Amino acid sequence: MVEKSKKKLTPPQKRQRTERILGIVAVALLIAAGVLGALRAKADLMPSVLAALPAADHVEEIGDGLYQAWADADEEILLGYVAFGEANGYGGPLTMAVAVSPEGEIIGASVAASKETPSWLDRVQDADLLEDLLGKAYSDAFALDDDVDGVTGATYTSKAITEAVRLGARDVASHVGLPVELDQAPKIVFGIPEAVLLGLFAVGYLGHQPNFKHKKIVRWGTMLVGMVVLGFVYNSPLTIAYVNKFLMGYWPQWQTGLYWYFLIGGILFVFTVDNKNPYCEWFCPFGAAQECLGAIGGAKVRSPGKYRSLLKWLQRGLAWAAIFLALLYRNPGITSYEIFGTLFKLIGSPVQFGLLALVLVVSLFIRRPWCTYLCPLHPVEEFIRMIRKWVKGLWPKRTANVK
Amino acid sequence: MAEKNSKRKIDLIPHVILVFALVSILLIIVNVSANLSEAGIFIDQGGSGVEMIDTATPLPTNNAPTPTIEPVQGA
Protein backbone atom coordinates (compact mmCIF):
# COMPACT_ATOMS: atom_id res chain seq x y z
CA MET A 1 0.00 0.00 0.00
CA VAL A 2 2.85 2.33 0.96
CA GLU A 3 4.70 1.32 -2.18
CA LYS A 4 1.66 2.14 -4.28
CA SER A 5 1.32 5.65 -2.83
CA LYS A 6 4.97 6.36 -3.48
CA LYS A 7 4.73 5.19 -7.06
CA LYS A 8 6.10 7.89 -9.33
CA LEU A 9 3.60 9.41 -11.72
CA THR A 10 4.39 9.54 -15.41
CA PRO A 11 4.21 12.98 -17.15
CA PRO A 12 0.79 12.25 -18.71
CA GLN A 13 -0.53 11.14 -15.31
CA LYS A 14 0.87 14.30 -13.72
CA ARG A 15 -0.81 16.40 -16.40
CA GLN A 16 -4.06 14.55 -15.87
CA ARG A 17 -3.87 15.13 -12.12
CA THR A 18 -3.15 18.86 -12.60
CA GLU A 19 -6.05 19.17 -15.03
CA ARG A 20 -8.41 17.46 -12.62
CA ILE A 21 -7.36 19.71 -9.73
CA LEU A 22 -7.74 22.83 -11.88
CA GLY A 23 -11.09 21.52 -13.13
CA ILE A 24 -12.37 21.15 -9.56
CA VAL A 25 -11.10 24.63 -8.60
CA ALA A 26 -12.69 26.13 -11.72
CA VAL A 27 -16.05 24.48 -10.98
CA ALA A 28 -15.89 25.55 -7.31
CA LEU A 29 -15.35 29.15 -8.38
CA LEU A 30 -18.21 28.92 -10.87
CA ILE A 31 -20.51 27.62 -8.13
CA ALA A 32 -19.42 30.52 -5.89
CA ALA A 33 -20.14 32.98 -8.72
CA GLY A 34 -23.55 31.40 -9.25
CA VAL A 35 -24.43 31.66 -5.56
CA LEU A 36 -23.18 35.27 -5.35
CA GLY A 37 -25.11 36.14 -8.50
CA ALA A 38 -28.31 34.67 -7.05
CA LEU A 39 -27.83 36.63 -3.83
CA ARG A 40 -27.36 39.96 -5.55
CA ALA A 41 -29.98 42.52 -4.64
CA LYS A 42 -32.82 42.96 -7.08
CA ALA A 43 -32.86 46.21 -8.98
CA ASP A 44 -35.18 48.99 -7.87
CA LEU A 45 -38.19 48.75 -10.13
CA MET A 46 -39.65 52.20 -9.43
CA PRO A 47 -37.74 53.98 -12.25
CA SER A 48 -39.28 51.58 -14.75
CA VAL A 49 -42.78 52.27 -13.36
CA LEU A 50 -42.26 55.97 -14.04
CA ALA A 51 -40.74 55.26 -17.43
CA ALA A 52 -43.79 53.18 -18.38
CA LEU A 53 -46.12 56.07 -17.66
CA PRO A 54 -44.21 59.35 -17.78
CA ALA A 55 -47.45 61.38 -17.76
CA ALA A 56 -48.10 60.26 -14.19
CA ASP A 57 -47.69 62.89 -11.53
CA HIS A 58 -48.27 60.59 -8.60
CA VAL A 59 -47.67 56.85 -8.34
CA GLU A 60 -48.72 54.61 -5.49
CA GLU A 61 -48.03 50.94 -4.91
CA ILE A 62 -51.26 49.11 -4.15
CA GLY A 63 -49.69 45.72 -3.52
CA ASP A 64 -48.61 42.57 -5.37
CA GLY A 65 -46.30 44.56 -7.66
CA LEU A 66 -49.20 46.66 -8.86
CA TYR A 67 -49.04 50.45 -9.00
CA GLN A 68 -51.77 53.05 -9.41
CA ALA A 69 -50.82 56.13 -11.47
CA TRP A 70 -52.55 59.49 -11.18
CA ALA A 71 -52.26 62.59 -13.33
CA ASP A 72 -52.36 64.80 -10.22
CA ALA A 73 -51.16 64.65 -6.65
CA ASP A 74 -54.75 64.94 -5.33
CA GLU A 75 -55.62 61.60 -6.93
CA GLU A 76 -58.51 63.01 -8.95
CA ILE A 77 -57.56 61.88 -12.45
CA LEU A 78 -56.64 58.21 -12.60
CA LEU A 79 -54.40 57.50 -15.59
CA GLY A 80 -54.14 53.77 -15.08
CA TYR A 81 -52.18 50.97 -13.47
CA VAL A 82 -48.67 49.62 -13.87
CA ALA A 83 -47.72 45.96 -13.35
CA PHE A 84 -44.75 43.78 -14.28
CA GLY A 85 -44.71 40.94 -16.76
CA GLU A 86 -41.83 38.53 -17.22
CA ALA A 87 -40.97 36.24 -20.13
CA ASN A 88 -37.95 34.32 -21.33
CA GLY A 89 -35.73 36.14 -23.82
CA TYR A 90 -32.55 35.05 -25.56
CA GLY A 91 -30.39 35.78 -22.52
CA GLY A 92 -32.84 34.89 -19.76
CA PRO A 93 -35.86 36.46 -18.10
CA LEU A 94 -36.95 39.84 -19.40
CA THR A 95 -39.21 42.00 -17.22
CA MET A 96 -41.43 44.73 -18.62
CA ALA A 97 -43.31 47.38 -16.66
CA VAL A 98 -46.67 47.72 -18.38
CA ALA A 99 -49.03 50.68 -17.97
CA VAL A 100 -52.68 49.91 -18.61
CA SER A 101 -55.65 52.30 -18.66
CA PRO A 102 -58.64 51.56 -16.36
CA GLU A 103 -60.41 50.24 -19.48
CA GLY A 104 -57.64 47.69 -20.10
CA GLU A 105 -55.74 49.39 -22.92
CA ILE A 106 -51.94 49.45 -22.94
CA ILE A 107 -50.79 53.06 -22.63
CA GLY A 108 -47.08 52.61 -21.98
CA ALA A 109 -44.34 50.14 -21.18
CA SER A 110 -40.68 50.05 -20.30
CA VAL A 111 -37.95 47.46 -19.94
CA ALA A 112 -37.55 46.97 -16.17
CA ALA A 113 -34.83 44.31 -16.27
CA SER A 114 -33.29 42.39 -19.09
CA LYS A 115 -30.54 39.86 -19.70
CA GLU A 116 -30.45 40.49 -23.43
CA THR A 117 -27.28 41.53 -25.22
CA PRO A 118 -27.56 45.35 -25.23
CA SER A 119 -27.08 45.79 -28.98
CA TRP A 120 -29.91 43.32 -29.69
CA LEU A 121 -32.23 44.97 -27.20
CA ASP A 122 -31.45 48.35 -28.80
CA ARG A 123 -32.33 46.85 -32.15
CA VAL A 124 -35.79 45.87 -30.89
CA GLN A 125 -36.33 49.19 -29.19
CA ASP A 126 -35.43 51.07 -32.36
CA ALA A 127 -37.97 49.07 -34.36
CA ASP A 128 -41.78 49.45 -34.62
CA LEU A 129 -42.51 46.51 -32.31
CA LEU A 130 -42.68 48.75 -29.27
CA GLU A 131 -45.07 51.23 -30.88
CA ASP A 132 -47.27 48.34 -32.08
CA LEU A 133 -47.93 47.36 -28.48
CA LEU A 134 -49.44 50.71 -27.51
CA GLY A 135 -53.23 50.77 -27.80
CA LYS A 136 -53.59 47.00 -27.59
CA ALA A 137 -56.22 45.63 -25.21
CA TYR A 138 -55.21 43.25 -22.40
CA SER A 139 -57.42 40.60 -24.00
CA ASP A 140 -55.70 40.73 -27.41
CA ALA A 141 -53.73 37.71 -28.62
CA PHE A 142 -50.42 39.58 -29.12
CA ALA A 143 -49.40 37.09 -31.80
CA LEU A 144 -46.00 37.97 -33.19
CA ASP A 145 -45.98 38.78 -36.92
CA ASP A 146 -49.77 38.81 -36.83
CA ASP A 147 -50.97 41.39 -34.28
CA VAL A 148 -47.44 42.66 -33.68
CA ASP A 149 -44.48 42.95 -36.04
CA GLY A 150 -41.44 41.02 -34.82
CA VAL A 151 -37.92 42.31 -35.37
CA THR A 152 -35.92 40.31 -37.88
CA GLY A 153 -32.81 38.80 -36.33
CA ALA A 154 -34.00 39.40 -32.78
CA THR A 155 -36.91 36.97 -32.60
CA TYR A 156 -36.29 35.76 -29.03
CA THR A 157 -36.15 39.31 -27.67
CA SER A 158 -39.23 40.36 -29.67
CA LYS A 159 -41.18 37.37 -28.37
CA ALA A 160 -40.10 38.01 -24.79
CA ILE A 161 -41.10 41.69 -24.87
CA THR A 162 -44.48 40.91 -26.43
CA GLU A 163 -45.23 38.09 -23.99
CA ALA A 164 -44.06 40.09 -20.95
CA VAL A 165 -46.30 43.02 -21.95
CA ARG A 166 -49.23 40.66 -22.48
CA LEU A 167 -48.74 39.05 -19.05
CA GLY A 168 -48.32 42.43 -17.34
CA ALA A 169 -51.52 43.72 -18.96
CA ARG A 170 -53.45 40.61 -17.91
CA ASP A 171 -52.11 41.01 -14.39
CA VAL A 172 -53.49 44.55 -14.21
CA ALA A 173 -56.82 43.42 -15.66
CA SER A 174 -57.24 40.63 -13.12
CA HIS A 175 -56.35 42.98 -10.23
CA VAL A 176 -58.83 45.68 -11.24
CA GLY A 177 -61.68 43.28 -11.85
CA LEU A 178 -61.78 43.15 -15.65
CA PRO A 179 -62.80 39.76 -17.09
CA VAL A 180 -59.70 37.67 -17.86
CA GLU A 181 -59.94 34.40 -19.73
CA LEU A 182 -57.72 31.59 -18.53
CA ASP A 183 -54.53 31.20 -20.53
CA GLN A 184 -54.54 28.19 -22.77
CA ALA A 185 -51.49 25.93 -22.69
CA PRO A 186 -48.98 27.20 -25.25
CA LYS A 187 -48.97 25.52 -28.62
CA ILE A 188 -46.16 23.10 -29.28
CA VAL A 189 -43.74 24.73 -31.69
CA PHE A 190 -42.28 22.15 -34.02
CA GLY A 191 -41.19 23.66 -37.28
CA ILE A 192 -38.42 23.48 -39.84
CA PRO A 193 -35.49 24.18 -37.48
CA GLU A 194 -36.59 21.47 -35.03
CA ALA A 195 -37.14 18.92 -37.80
CA VAL A 196 -33.82 19.77 -39.46
CA LEU A 197 -32.01 19.54 -36.13
CA LEU A 198 -33.42 16.08 -35.40
CA GLY A 199 -32.51 14.97 -38.90
CA LEU A 200 -28.97 16.26 -38.51
CA PHE A 201 -28.57 14.47 -35.19
CA ALA A 202 -29.78 11.22 -36.74
CA VAL A 203 -27.46 11.51 -39.73
CA GLY A 204 -24.58 12.63 -37.49
CA TYR A 205 -25.09 9.61 -35.23
CA LEU A 206 -25.15 7.24 -38.18
CA GLY A 207 -22.13 8.93 -39.68
CA HIS A 208 -20.12 8.30 -36.53
CA GLN A 209 -20.59 4.56 -36.79
CA PRO A 210 -17.33 2.84 -37.75
CA ASN A 211 -18.84 0.86 -40.65
CA PHE A 212 -20.57 3.83 -42.22
CA LYS A 213 -19.65 4.37 -45.85
CA HIS A 214 -19.67 7.74 -47.66
CA LYS A 215 -18.79 9.48 -44.41
CA LYS A 216 -17.07 12.38 -46.17
CA ILE A 217 -19.93 13.18 -48.54
CA VAL A 218 -22.61 12.84 -45.85
CA ARG A 219 -20.59 15.05 -43.49
CA TRP A 220 -20.36 17.78 -46.11
CA GLY A 221 -24.10 17.42 -46.64
CA THR A 222 -24.92 17.89 -42.95
CA MET A 223 -22.48 20.79 -42.68
CA LEU A 224 -24.04 22.63 -45.62
CA VAL A 225 -27.59 22.01 -44.36
CA GLY A 226 -26.53 23.17 -40.88
CA MET A 227 -24.88 26.29 -42.27
CA VAL A 228 -27.80 27.29 -44.49
CA VAL A 229 -30.77 26.31 -42.29
CA LEU A 230 -29.48 26.70 -38.72
CA GLY A 231 -27.11 29.51 -39.66
CA PHE A 232 -28.25 31.79 -42.45
CA VAL A 233 -32.01 31.13 -42.28
CA TYR A 234 -32.70 30.73 -38.55
CA ASN A 235 -29.46 31.95 -36.91
CA SER A 236 -29.71 29.33 -34.16
CA PRO A 237 -26.22 27.95 -33.58
CA LEU A 238 -25.22 26.73 -30.14
CA THR A 239 -23.52 29.47 -28.12
CA ILE A 240 -22.10 29.79 -24.62
CA ALA A 241 -25.29 31.71 -23.73
CA TYR A 242 -27.23 28.43 -24.04
CA VAL A 243 -24.79 26.74 -21.64
CA ASN A 244 -25.11 29.66 -19.21
CA LYS A 245 -28.90 29.55 -19.39
CA PHE A 246 -28.79 25.83 -18.71
CA LEU A 247 -26.55 26.36 -15.66
CA MET A 248 -28.68 29.21 -14.29
CA GLY A 249 -31.93 27.31 -14.66
CA TYR A 250 -33.38 29.73 -17.22
CA TRP A 251 -35.02 26.93 -19.12
CA PRO A 252 -37.69 27.84 -21.65
CA GLN A 253 -41.14 26.27 -21.73
CA TRP A 254 -40.79 22.93 -23.44
CA GLN A 255 -43.70 23.64 -25.79
CA THR A 256 -42.00 26.68 -27.29
CA GLY A 257 -38.37 25.73 -26.64
CA LEU A 258 -38.16 22.31 -28.27
CA TYR A 259 -35.25 23.40 -30.45
CA TRP A 260 -33.28 24.33 -27.34
CA TYR A 261 -34.01 21.01 -25.62
CA PHE A 262 -33.20 18.99 -28.73
CA LEU A 263 -29.91 20.83 -29.17
CA ILE A 264 -28.62 20.67 -25.56
CA GLY A 265 -30.25 17.32 -24.75
CA GLY A 266 -29.15 15.72 -28.02
CA ILE A 267 -25.54 16.75 -27.59
CA LEU A 268 -25.40 15.63 -23.95
CA PHE A 269 -27.12 12.35 -24.75
CA VAL A 270 -24.87 11.37 -27.66
CA PHE A 271 -21.83 12.57 -25.75
CA THR A 272 -22.66 10.49 -22.69
CA VAL A 273 -23.60 7.36 -24.57
CA ASP A 274 -21.10 7.46 -27.41
CA ASN A 275 -18.37 9.88 -26.24
CA LYS A 276 -18.77 11.65 -29.57
CA ASN A 277 -19.66 15.25 -30.24
CA PRO A 278 -22.28 15.10 -32.96
CA TYR A 279 -22.63 18.87 -33.28
CA CYS A 280 -19.28 20.62 -33.75
CA GLU A 281 -17.74 18.52 -36.51
CA TRP A 282 -20.96 17.59 -38.29
CA PHE A 283 -23.34 20.50 -38.39
CA CYS A 284 -22.17 23.55 -36.46
CA PRO A 285 -23.05 26.37 -38.91
CA PHE A 286 -19.98 28.45 -38.11
CA GLY A 287 -17.66 25.45 -38.28
CA ALA A 288 -19.14 24.67 -41.70
CA ALA A 289 -18.57 28.25 -42.88
CA GLN A 290 -14.91 27.99 -41.89
CA GLU A 291 -14.54 24.65 -43.64
CA CYS A 292 -16.08 26.03 -46.83
CA LEU A 293 -13.50 28.80 -46.85
CA GLY A 294 -10.83 26.26 -45.99
CA ALA A 295 -11.82 24.20 -49.02
CA ILE A 296 -11.42 27.29 -51.20
CA GLY A 297 -8.07 28.33 -49.72
CA GLY A 298 -6.66 24.85 -49.19
CA ALA A 299 -6.57 25.13 -45.39
CA LYS A 300 -4.76 22.43 -43.45
CA VAL A 301 -4.45 21.40 -39.83
CA ARG A 302 -1.48 23.52 -38.70
CA SER A 303 0.39 22.75 -35.53
CA PRO A 304 0.89 25.60 -33.06
CA GLY A 305 4.11 23.86 -31.96
CA LYS A 306 5.51 25.09 -28.67
CA TYR A 307 2.46 27.35 -28.16
CA ARG A 308 0.01 24.46 -28.08
CA SER A 309 -0.31 24.38 -24.31
CA LEU A 310 -0.47 28.18 -23.96
CA LEU A 311 -3.20 28.47 -26.59
CA LYS A 312 -5.19 25.64 -25.05
CA TRP A 313 -5.14 27.31 -21.63
CA LEU A 314 -5.97 30.73 -23.11
CA GLN A 315 -9.04 29.24 -24.76
CA ARG A 316 -10.04 27.51 -21.52
CA GLY A 317 -9.48 30.69 -19.51
CA LEU A 318 -11.58 32.71 -21.90
CA ALA A 319 -14.46 30.23 -21.75
CA TRP A 320 -14.24 30.00 -17.97
CA ALA A 321 -14.25 33.82 -17.60
CA ALA A 322 -17.29 34.05 -19.90
CA ILE A 323 -19.25 31.57 -17.76
CA PHE A 324 -17.99 33.07 -14.48
CA LEU A 325 -19.07 36.63 -15.33
CA ALA A 326 -22.39 35.45 -16.72
CA LEU A 327 -23.14 33.54 -13.49
CA LEU A 328 -22.00 36.45 -11.34
CA TYR A 329 -24.32 38.89 -13.10
CA ARG A 330 -27.11 36.36 -13.72
CA ASN A 331 -26.96 37.33 -17.37
CA PRO A 332 -26.37 34.39 -19.73
CA GLY A 333 -25.83 36.39 -22.89
CA ILE A 334 -23.72 39.25 -21.59
CA THR A 335 -20.37 37.51 -22.14
CA SER A 336 -21.33 35.47 -25.17
CA TYR A 337 -18.49 36.40 -27.51
CA GLU A 338 -19.31 34.26 -30.51
CA ILE A 339 -19.58 36.08 -33.82
CA PHE A 340 -22.23 33.85 -35.34
CA GLY A 341 -24.91 36.53 -35.62
CA THR A 342 -22.32 38.81 -37.17
CA LEU A 343 -21.85 36.35 -40.03
CA PHE A 344 -25.34 34.95 -40.41
CA LYS A 345 -27.41 38.10 -39.85
CA LEU A 346 -24.74 40.77 -40.36
CA ILE A 347 -25.49 42.17 -36.90
CA GLY A 348 -22.68 43.26 -34.63
CA SER A 349 -20.34 45.99 -33.51
CA PRO A 350 -17.33 47.12 -35.59
CA VAL A 351 -15.11 45.09 -33.26
CA GLN A 352 -17.17 41.95 -33.96
CA PHE A 353 -16.97 42.55 -37.71
CA GLY A 354 -13.19 42.99 -37.36
CA LEU A 355 -12.92 39.72 -35.47
CA LEU A 356 -15.13 37.96 -38.02
CA ALA A 357 -12.99 39.22 -40.89
CA LEU A 358 -9.84 38.01 -39.15
CA VAL A 359 -11.28 34.55 -38.47
CA LEU A 360 -12.60 34.17 -42.02
CA VAL A 361 -9.29 35.18 -43.59
CA VAL A 362 -7.32 32.81 -41.37
CA SER A 363 -9.85 30.04 -42.18
CA LEU A 364 -8.56 30.10 -45.75
CA PHE A 365 -5.20 28.73 -44.58
CA ILE A 366 -5.76 27.07 -41.22
CA ARG A 367 -8.50 24.50 -40.61
CA ARG A 368 -11.26 25.84 -38.34
CA PRO A 369 -9.21 28.46 -36.43
CA TRP A 370 -12.22 29.65 -34.42
CA CYS A 371 -13.11 26.14 -33.23
CA THR A 372 -9.50 25.24 -32.46
CA TYR A 373 -8.33 28.35 -30.61
CA LEU A 374 -11.30 30.49 -29.59
CA CYS A 375 -14.67 28.73 -29.39
CA PRO A 376 -15.83 28.55 -25.73
CA LEU A 377 -17.73 25.33 -26.37
CA HIS A 378 -14.57 23.36 -27.05
CA PRO A 379 -13.30 23.66 -23.43
CA VAL A 380 -16.81 22.78 -22.18
CA GLU A 381 -16.65 19.66 -24.31
CA GLU A 382 -13.16 18.83 -22.99
CA PHE A 383 -14.42 19.27 -19.43
CA ILE A 384 -17.37 16.92 -19.95
CA ARG A 385 -15.01 14.43 -21.58
CA MET A 386 -12.65 14.64 -18.60
CA ILE A 387 -15.46 14.07 -16.10
CA ARG A 388 -16.79 11.18 -18.15
CA LYS A 389 -13.36 9.54 -18.24
CA TRP A 390 -12.87 10.14 -14.53
CA VAL A 391 -16.22 8.63 -13.56
CA LYS A 392 -15.65 5.72 -15.92
CA GLY A 393 -12.25 5.14 -14.31
CA LEU A 394 -13.81 5.01 -10.84
CA TRP A 395 -16.60 2.65 -11.79
CA PRO A 396 -14.67 -0.66 -12.22
CA LYS A 397 -12.73 -0.06 -8.97
CA ARG A 398 -15.99 0.28 -7.07
CA THR A 399 -17.52 -2.83 -8.55
CA ALA A 400 -14.26 -4.69 -7.84
CA ASN A 401 -14.43 -3.59 -4.18
CA VAL A 402 -18.04 -4.72 -3.87
CA LYS A 403 -17.11 -8.10 -5.22
CA MET B 1 19.57 25.44 -48.60
CA ALA B 2 16.07 24.62 -49.80
CA GLU B 3 15.62 22.38 -46.79
CA LYS B 4 16.76 25.20 -44.51
CA ASN B 5 14.29 27.64 -46.13
CA SER B 6 11.47 25.14 -45.78
CA LYS B 7 12.28 24.62 -42.10
CA ARG B 8 12.25 28.37 -41.52
CA LYS B 9 8.85 28.63 -43.26
CA ILE B 10 7.35 25.89 -41.10
CA ASP B 11 8.66 27.54 -37.96
CA LEU B 12 6.68 30.69 -38.75
CA ILE B 13 3.30 28.97 -38.50
CA PRO B 14 3.15 28.70 -34.68
CA HIS B 15 3.95 32.41 -34.43
CA VAL B 16 1.22 33.29 -36.93
CA ILE B 17 -1.26 31.19 -34.97
CA LEU B 18 -0.20 32.83 -31.71
CA VAL B 19 -0.61 36.33 -33.16
CA PHE B 20 -4.02 35.37 -34.57
CA ALA B 21 -5.17 34.01 -31.21
CA LEU B 22 -3.86 36.96 -29.20
CA VAL B 23 -5.38 39.58 -31.52
CA SER B 24 -8.69 37.72 -31.51
CA ILE B 25 -8.73 37.45 -27.73
CA LEU B 26 -7.99 41.16 -27.47
CA LEU B 27 -10.94 41.93 -29.76
CA ILE B 28 -13.15 39.59 -27.71
CA ILE B 29 -12.16 41.33 -24.47
CA VAL B 30 -12.89 44.75 -26.00
CA ASN B 31 -16.27 43.56 -27.23
CA VAL B 32 -17.32 41.90 -23.97
CA SER B 33 -16.18 44.95 -21.97
CA ALA B 34 -18.34 47.14 -24.23
CA ASN B 35 -21.29 44.78 -23.66
CA LEU B 36 -20.80 44.89 -19.90
CA SER B 37 -20.62 48.67 -19.78
CA GLU B 38 -23.63 49.01 -22.09
CA ALA B 39 -25.57 46.83 -19.68
CA GLY B 40 -24.54 49.13 -16.85
CA ILE B 41 -21.93 46.88 -15.30
CA PHE B 42 -18.81 48.82 -14.37
CA ILE B 43 -15.69 47.99 -12.45
CA ASP B 44 -15.90 50.08 -9.29
CA GLN B 45 -12.72 52.10 -8.88
CA GLY B 46 -13.16 52.02 -5.13
CA GLY B 47 -12.09 48.41 -5.23
CA SER B 48 -15.24 46.99 -3.70
CA GLY B 49 -15.90 44.85 -6.71
CA VAL B 50 -18.48 45.57 -9.32
CA GLU B 51 -21.67 47.53 -9.45
CA MET B 52 -24.72 46.78 -11.53
CA ILE B 53 -27.14 49.43 -12.61
CA ASP B 54 -30.47 48.62 -14.18
CA THR B 55 -31.66 51.41 -16.41
CA ALA B 56 -35.32 51.67 -17.19
CA THR B 57 -35.88 52.05 -20.88
CA PRO B 58 -39.19 53.61 -21.89
CA LEU B 59 -41.28 52.68 -24.86
CA PRO B 60 -42.27 55.60 -27.06
CA THR B 61 -45.48 57.15 -25.83
CA ASN B 62 -47.83 59.54 -27.57
CA ASN B 63 -47.45 62.38 -25.08
CA ALA B 64 -44.70 62.15 -22.55
CA PRO B 65 -44.14 65.14 -20.31
CA THR B 66 -41.33 64.74 -17.81
CA PRO B 67 -42.58 63.50 -14.42
CA THR B 68 -42.01 66.05 -11.72
CA ILE B 69 -43.21 64.48 -8.50
CA GLU B 70 -41.49 61.67 -6.63
CA PRO B 71 -43.51 58.47 -6.42
CA VAL B 72 -45.07 57.37 -3.15
CA GLN B 73 -44.43 53.76 -2.26
CA GLY B 74 -46.68 51.65 -0.11
CA ALA B 75 -50.40 51.66 0.15
Side-chain angles (χ1 to χ4, degrees):
Chain A
M1 187 71 186
V2 177
E3 264 178 36
K4 197 180 175 185
S5 63
K6 280 184 178 178
K7 195 180 163 187
K8 237 187 170 182
L9 294 172
T10 60
Q13 283 174 324
K14 273 186 188 173
R15 196 171 57 238
Q16 189 185 53
R17 191 180 62 175
T18 311
E19 289 197 350
R20 283 179 180 177
I21 292 169
L22 285 173
I24 291 168
V25 172
V27 169
L29 287 171
L30 289 181
I31 291 170
V35 172
L36 267 177
L39 292 175
R40 291 177 75 88
K42 283 188 178 174
D44 180 13
L45 296 172
M46 184 52 85
S48 56
V49 173
L50 289 174
L53 200 51
D57 208 11
H58 174 70
V59 178
E60 200 174 301
E61 188 173 1
I62 53 174
D64 288 342
L66 185 71
Y67 297 79
Q68 212 165 16
W70 305 85
D72 57 320
D74 299 329
E75 298 187 359
E76 284 177 359
I77 307 166
L78 177 66
L79 286 175
Y81 302 87
V82 181
F84 294 96
E86 187 182 284
N88 239 323
Y90 173 76
L94 184 146
T95 308
M96 296 290 294
V98 190
V100 181
S101 72
E103 295 77 33
E105 185 183 291
I106 293 167
I107 51 175
S110 73
V111 179
S114 143
K115 312 287 185 191
E116 306 300 275
T117 309
S119 56
W120 292 69
L121 186 62
D122 288 346
R123 191 178 161 82
V124 175
Q125 288 182 309
D126 291 342
D128 290 338
L129 164 72
L130 306 174
E131 282 171 3
D132 284 354
L133 295 168
L134 298 176
K136 291 238 166 281
Y138 74 95
S139 51
D140 284 349
F142 289 73
L144 207 62
D145 297 328
D146 192 1
D147 297 337
V148 185
D149 288 331
V151 179
T152 312
T155 317
Y156 289 104
T157 310
S158 307
K159 276 183 186 171
I161 287 181
T162 311
E163 179 63 5
V165 168
R166 188 184 75 87
L167 292 174
R170 284 173 59 91
D171 191 31
V172 169
S174 63
H175 272 94
V176 300
L178 293 167
V180 180
E181 282 181 25
L182 279 176
D183 253 348
Q184 289 179 338
K187 283 182 185 171
I188 295 171
V189 177
F190 188 91
I192 295 171
E194 287 80 11
V196 169
L197 188 63
L198 283 183
L200 289 171
F201 265 119
V203 177
Y205 182 78
L206 282 176
H208 272 110
Q209 302 308 310
N211 303 330
F212 188 74
K213 289 177 184 173
H214 315 299
K215 199 170 197 168
K216 199 174 174 184
I217 296 171
V218 172
R219 182 170 167 272
W220 269 103
T222 55
M223 279 201 304
L224 291 175
V225 170
M227 183 174 73
V228 173
V229 180
L230 305 185
F232 285 107
V233 179
Y234 291 102
N235 188 29
S236 305
L238 180 64
T239 65
I240 195 74
Y242 279 97
V243 177
N244 292 335
K245 279 173 91 169
F246 179 78
L247 294 175
M248 286 178 206
Y250 293 157
W251 298 18
Q253 281 181 304
W254 72 268
Q255 294 95 332
T256 53
L258 276 179
Y259 180 89
W260 193 86
Y261 286 102
F262 286 161
L263 188 58
I264 297 271
I267 292 172
L268 285 177
F269 177 74
V270 179
F271 210 80
T272 313
V273 172
D274 216 17
N275 198 27
K276 298 268 168 58
N277 177 350
Y279 177 78
C280 294
E281 282 290 322
W282 278 73
F283 54 91
C284 167
F286 197 70
Q290 290 170 87
E291 280 207 37
C292 286
L293 285 172
I296 295 166
K300 290 177 185 166
V301 176
R302 314 272 186 183
S303 167
K306 59 182 176 181
Y307 299 125
R308 183 186 301 277
S309 181
L310 171 70
L311 292 170
K312 188 170 76 177
W313 284 102
L314 276 175
Q315 187 180 15
R316 288 176 178 178
L318 204 61
W320 179 84
I323 299 173
F324 181 84
L325 287 172
L327 288 172
L328 191 62
Y329 294 110
R330 302 288 295 170
N331 192 331
I334 196 75
T335 52
S336 180
Y337 57 82
E338 291 95 338
I339 41 176
F340 304 156
T342 316
L343 174 67
F344 298 124
K345 288 290 171 196
L346 299 177
I347 299 165
S349 64
V351 176
Q352 285 175 307
F353 277 105
L355 178 60
L356 176 66
L358 180 65
V359 171
L360 294 183
V361 169
V362 174
S363 299
L364 289 164
F365 313 103
I366 297 172
R367 188 183 180 274
R368 290 191 173 225
W370 172 269
C371 309
T372 316
Y373 303 110
L374 299 166
C375 183
L377 297 174
H378 186 57
V380 174
E381 180 198 324
E382 281 182 320
F383 181 76
I384 297 173
R385 210 181 280 277
M386 183 189 84
I387 296 292
R388 186 181 184 278
K389 192 179 168 187
W390 199 351
V391 172
K392 216 177 162 187
L394 291 173
W395 193 253
K397 284 180 194 170
R398 276 197 177 177
T399 41
N401 288 342
V402 171
K403 279 177 184 176
Chain B
M1 188 66 184
E3 197 180 305
K4 201 176 172 185
N5 278 346
S6 154
K7 196 177 177 187
R8 192 178 295 162
K9 204 176 171 186
I10 290 166
D11 284 345
L12 269 179
I13 289 170
H15 300 291
V16 172
I17 292 174
L18 181 69
V19 170
F20 159 72
L22 291 178
V23 171
S24 301
I25 289 171
L26 183 70
L27 291 173
I28 286 169
I29 291 170
V30 169
N31 184 52
V32 171
S33 305
N35 267 351
L36 289 170
S37 62
E38 260 187 80
I41 300 167
F42 303 101
I43 301 297
D44 184 359
Q45 290 183 334
S48 60
V50 281
E51 185 183 348
M52 191 165 178
I53 302 161
D54 257 320
T55 47
T57 321
L59 276 170
T61 46
N62 300 330
N63 50 347
T66 313
T68 51
I69 294 186
E70 288 291 312
V72 178
Q73 286 192 56

